[in-house]
């Protein structure tokens, strides 16, 4: 058996090598490295795929969050509610823009923000909420959208881990992750579900005026070359990356299905296990399974992780420290105990290898090794 990997981008490439190589060669032949025709082609294709009216591509998923907040007109000092248990990018751009991140704890089973706490986070300065569809499953969007509407708040959905996940509202309407809020943001970081071969990102919106503003901000605040209407940034998806994404988008449904097959096999294997708690799936969202993240009971997570590494099974802790306890956010005077669920998850979560190229025998070995540790 070959070395087991968290993600296997090389095998994934090998299967579509001819198409990818042709796409890259075409860009080089045309030398339209910035804003080549492939960029528009890809944003149109992604709009058709997600059902978003407008897709604005940019340099990475972090920029997408920042541009979204700039586009929505958030002003320094205003407050944005964000989960304490997520990747740092979400809170980082809030702080960077001089806004105040207001952390909210998450649900211990689904990892999405705990909507029951939203009310207690609201002040006269609150302008937005950033739900993060962590590991690939949608947050409780119905409740979040309802709350935002009542209190006139904007929603930016961080969809970096959940592209393609579908959410079903109680009236039966279905919408894709990233297309429900005012703006959805995503990342094409190589290991993401729709990954390119470098950095890339995009924003989704259904609002024409906002789409235009986001596009301007991403392009130095200009509509016409050298006419700068607002202060912007330089954040672009390279033509090469767009060409690669044009090929890979055609495989995204297949990739998501492969991830779900792997997740189903793990679920069966860990059903009812005393120490390995499998991820809880909510009935109203499909799961893109960016990560297959279990919770290890009995204070044994780190020891299990070391044991797995010894046996050739990689695993990762996403994330080891909640945002309110990160050094960078200590100025606000956060303390341990303020977000108990996030703190406890940081000690229990373990993500097992899941990717589009996982072989059944590899997975059998991973499962046996995890189970073997507890025997
Ligand atoms: C990856 C990720 C981002 C940032 O994306 P980059 O393209 O790396 O900037 C933001 N939020 C979440 C939840 C992510 O997983």
């Amino acid at each position: 058996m070959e070395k087991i990997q968290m993600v296997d981008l090389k095998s994934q490439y090998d299967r579509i090598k001819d198409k990818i190589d042709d796409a890259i060669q075409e860009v080089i032949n045309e030398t339209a490295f910035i804003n080549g025709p492939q960029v528009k082609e890809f944003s149109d294709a992604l709009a058709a795929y997600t059902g978003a009216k407008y897709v604005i591509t940019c340099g990475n998923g972090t920029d997408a969050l920042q541009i979204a907040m700039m586009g929505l007109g958030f002003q320094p000092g205003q407050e944005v509610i964000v989960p304490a248990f997520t990747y740092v990018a979400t809170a980082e751009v809030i702080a960077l823009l001089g806004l105040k991140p207001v952390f909210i704890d998450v649900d211990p089973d689904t990892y999405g923000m705990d909507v029951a706490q939203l009310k207690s986070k609201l002040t006269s300065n609150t302008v937005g909420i950033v739900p993060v569809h962590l590991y690939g499953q949608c947050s409780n969007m119905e409740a979040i959208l309802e709350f935002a509407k009542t209190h006139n708040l904007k929603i930016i959905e961080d969809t970096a881990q959940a592209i393609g996940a579908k959410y079903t509202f109680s009236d039966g309407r279905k919408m894709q992750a990233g297309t429900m809020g005012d703006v959805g943001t995503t990342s094409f970081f190589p290991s993401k579900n729709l990954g390119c071969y470098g950095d890339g990102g995009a924003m989704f919106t259904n609002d024409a005026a906002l789409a235009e503003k986001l596009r301007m901000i991403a392009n130095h605040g200009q509509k016409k070359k050298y006419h700068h209407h607002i202060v912007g940034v330089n954040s672009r998806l390279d033509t090469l990356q767009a060409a690669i994404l044009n090929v890979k988008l055609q495989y995204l449904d297949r990739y998501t299905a492969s991830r779900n097959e792997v997740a189903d096999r793990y679920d069966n294997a860990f059903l009812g296990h005393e120490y390995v708690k499998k991820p809880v799936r909510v009935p109203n969202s499909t799961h893109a399974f960016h990560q297959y993240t279990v919770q290890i009971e009995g204070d044994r997570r780190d020891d299990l992780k070391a044991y797995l590494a010894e046996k050739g099974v990689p695993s990762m802790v996403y994330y080891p420290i909640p945002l309110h306890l990160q050094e960078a956010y200590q100025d606000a005077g956060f303390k341990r105990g303020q977000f108990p669920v996030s703190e406890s998850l940081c000690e229990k979560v373990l993500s097992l290898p899941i990717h589009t190229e996982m072989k059944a025998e590899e997975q059998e070995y991973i499962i046996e090794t995890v189970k073997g540790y507890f025997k």
Side-chain angles (χ1 to χ4, degrees), residues 20-95:
I20 294 275
D21 291 358
D22 287 352
I24 291 174
Q25 193 58 54
E26 194 183 325
V27 176
I28 297 172
N29 290 345
E30 291 164 1
T31 70
F33 297 116
I34 299 295
N35 276 330
Q38 289 84 349
V39 178
K40 174 147 195 320
E41 210 177 292
F42 172 64
S43 26
D44 289 349
L46 192 58
Y49 180 87
T50 56
K53 278 201 186 138
Y54 306 97
V55 170
I56 301 98
T57 54
C58 63
N60 56 65
T62 309
D63 279 3
L65 286 160
Q66 180 181 336
I67 296 163
M69 288 181 204
M70 291 169 75
L72 289 168
F74 293 179
Q75 296 300 316
Q78 293 182 322
E79 298 175 8
V80 180
I81 301 171
V82 57
F85 184 66
T86 179
Y87 182 55
V88 69
T90 330
E92 186 173 42
V93 300
I94 297 174

Side-chain angles (χ1 to χ4, degrees), residues 60-63 65 86-87 89-90 132 134 158 160-161 187-189 192 199-200 319:
N60 56 65
T62 309
D63 279 3
L65 286 160
T86 179
Y87 182 55
T90 330
V132 181
L134 203 68
D158 185 340
Q161 302 190 3
S187 163
F188 307 119
F189 186 84
K192 296 278 155 86
D199 277 307
Y319 297 91

Side-chain angles (χ1 to χ4, degrees), residues 35 56-64 67 200-201 203 214-215 217-220 232-238:
N35 276 330
I56 301 98
T57 54
C58 63
N60 56 65
T62 309
D63 279 3
I67 296 163
M203 292 161 275
L214 296 171
R215 200 164 275 129
I217 294 171
N219 186 26
H220 298 292
V233 297
N234 172 22
S235 185
R236 300 185 276 239
L237 181 69
D238 290 347

Side-chain angles (χ1 to χ4, degrees), residues 119-169:
K119 196 137 203 192
S120 68
K121 302 292 166 187
L122 194 68
T123 75
S124 55
N125 266 330
T126 315
V127 286
I129 309 176
V130 187
V132 181
H133 305 315
L134 203 68
Y135 306 142
Q137 185 168 249
C138 292
S139 307
N140 184 349
M141 286 307 290
E142 186 144 358
I144 296 168
L145 285 163
E146 169 105 27
F147 185 86
K149 199 169 164 198
T150 310
H151 300 284
N152 201 17
L153 309 175
K154 300 293 185 194
I155 294 187
I156 299 171
E157 288 175 78
D158 185 340
T159 314
Q161 302 190 3
I163 195 155
K166 287 181 200 74
Y167 185 83
T168 308
F169 288 87

Side-chain angles (χ1 to χ4, degrees), residues 1 54 87 175 213 222 281:
M1 198 164 54
Y54 306 97
Y87 182 55
M175 286 178 104
K213 195 163 175 207
Q222 70 184 9
R281 306 197 196 186

